[in-house]
Amino acid sequence: VPIQRAVMGESGDGISVDYRGHQILAYWRHIPQLDLGMVIKIDTDEAYQAVYALRRQSIYLAAILLVFTSIGGWLIARGLSRPLRNLTRVTEKIVQGDLEQRLKVKRSDEIGQLALRFNDMVDSLKAATRDTEDQIWLKTGLSRLSDAIRGDLDKTSLGRKAIKEIATYLDAQVGAVYFTNDMGSINSDPQTEE
């Protein structure tokens, strides 16, 4: 008991139990000039009330911060994953051959820049594909024309076979070949194929 220690000449502090049976925080000291013991005490509940309140506030604040950082993290992750999912969806359609697909550019940050560059890349791919298809179409047509006019043909037969193959390849209704005479004039009787 603190008062007994103080009367016996001790000084100190600590947690103890008072006469009511409550836990207390006490400071005791012996005063030799008066041969007295002095005790200063406060109930621990009262002494730690501010600490408990601060702890509760800290827990509430931590919980609120956790909720807001979780929501913020979710929003950031969603803001990043949605454009990436859209990029994946559009890329899959392009891989399947749909070169008309484009990403909608709604942002001006790095993701928006990525979308712009992606659309530029698709435009370049579309142009290269169109050029390749044009080259294939042209080479196929020339090969077919070459096969059609192969052999030892006179001028008229050569003209008829050439115009027939060209008109068929171009899906044209009518085709004509004009020949020039020795003077460089066009003959009035064209070779036609219908």
Side-chain angles (χ1 to χ4, degrees), residues 2 5 12-17 24-28 40 42 44 48:
R5 290 178 158 180
D13 60 66
I15 296 177
S16 183
V17 177
I24 61 166
L25 197 63
Y27 172 76
W28 60 91
I40 300 172
I42 187 169
T44 53
Y48 292 133

Side-chain angles (χ1 to χ4, degrees), residues 160-176:
R160 280 201 176 129
K161 285 188 173 190
I163 197 62
K164 181 178 181 181
E165 183 58 38
I166 291 170
T168 301
Y169 194 67
L170 295 177
D171 199 24
Q173 297 295 321
V174 177

Side-chain angles (χ1 to χ4, degrees), residues 15 17 23 37-38 60 69-70 84 121 133 148 159 161 167 175 183:
I15 296 177
V17 177
Q23 193 174 34
M38 180 179 74
Y60 294 150
T69 54
S70 296
L84 293 177
M121 180 185 70
E133 288 171 349
K161 285 188 173 190
M183 302 289 289

Side-chain angles (χ1 to χ4, degrees), residues 21 29 36 44 48 57 67 75 87 175 186:
R29 183 176 182 142
L36 291 173
T44 53
Y48 292 133
Q57 289 174 351
V67 168
L75 289 172
L87 174 64
I186 296 177

Side-chain angles (χ1 to χ4, degrees), residues 5-6 16 20 30 44 56 61 63 68 76 78 84 87 91 99 101 103 108 110 112 117-119 133 146 162 168 175:
R5 290 178 158 180
S16 183
R20 301 171 298 163
H30 178 71
T44 53
R56 271 192 313 274
L61 181 61
F68 280 119
I76 290 170
R78 188 173 138 212
L84 293 177
L87 174 64
T91 302
L99 296 179
Q101 292 293 315
L103 289 173
S108 61
E110 290 84 0
R117 295 294 97 24
F118 181 84
N119 289 342
E133 288 171 349
S146 177
T168 301

